[in-house]
Amino acid sequence: MDTVLAASPDASLVNALAASNGRRRRVVPIRSVEEAERVLGRDCGVAIVDGRCDFALELLKKIKVEGLNGVARMPVILIDGEGTNDDFQIVPEERVAAGADARTIGQLADELMERRARRRRLFLQEVALELATSAENVEKAGDV
């Protein structure tokens, strides 16, 4: 069974992901970076991060920058939303619109997990950043 980390303020989305058809997957709801840290060292297949979470950028940093390749660094699906910070982003593998349904997101998660299982090296990655040019964002990039 594959494990999916799901960070979203929308509990119904997380519940629907767990119940949606497709591959057997265990969905672990994440409500903080601290909760994520408890499971990041385990074999998790994919992370779904809702941009509306106030800790979304910090969670992406924890997964993409601070994790060990092949262990904590995993593919990420970012759900864009009104709260998504467009000035500074750690680029995920996939992006979906805020209105995407759980079935669509679940299928995308299953596809990423299959790709990762077949080609493990695919996810030994560099971190890609997108940022608006401002002193604050350049400083954030330097920190990352």
Side-chain angles (χ1 to χ4, degrees), residues 30-107:
I30 301 296
R31 291 176 282 291
S32 69
V33 173
E34 292 77 24
E35 281 186 18
E37 286 176 324
R38 288 192 279 259
V39 293
L40 281 177
R42 301 182 193 152
D43 192 24
C44 299
V46 68
I48 298 168
V49 180
D50 192 325
R52 296 172 295 178
C53 289
D54 58 353
F55 59 92
L57 183 61
E58 188 62 32
L59 181 56
L60 282 166
K61 182 178 173 188
K62 187 66 67 179
I63 293 168
K64 294 293 186 188
V65 178
E66 298 171 6
L68 299 173
N69 267 322
V71 178
R73 285 189 184 174
M74 69 187 85
V76 174
I77 299 169
L78 178 66
I79 302 171
D80 287 323
E82 292 175 16
T84 303
N85 182 349
D86 292 329
D87 285 347
F88 189 90
Q89 280 290 318
I90 296 174
V91 179
E93 280 67 33
E94 299 287 343
R95 282 185 127 119
V96 296
D101 64 4
R103 184 172 179 212
T104 301
I105 296 169
Q107 288 173 337

Side-chain angles (χ1 to χ4, degrees), residues 34 40 67 102 111 131 134:
E34 292 77 24
L40 281 177
E111 290 169 12
L131 56 122
S134 70

Side-chain angles (χ1 to χ4, degrees), residues 4 6 12-20 25 27 48 101-103 105-106:
V4 174
S12 63
L13 173 65
V14 175
N15 292 335
L17 279 168
S20 68
R25 69 177 93 88
V27 177
I48 298 168
D101 64 4
R103 184 172 179 212
I105 296 169

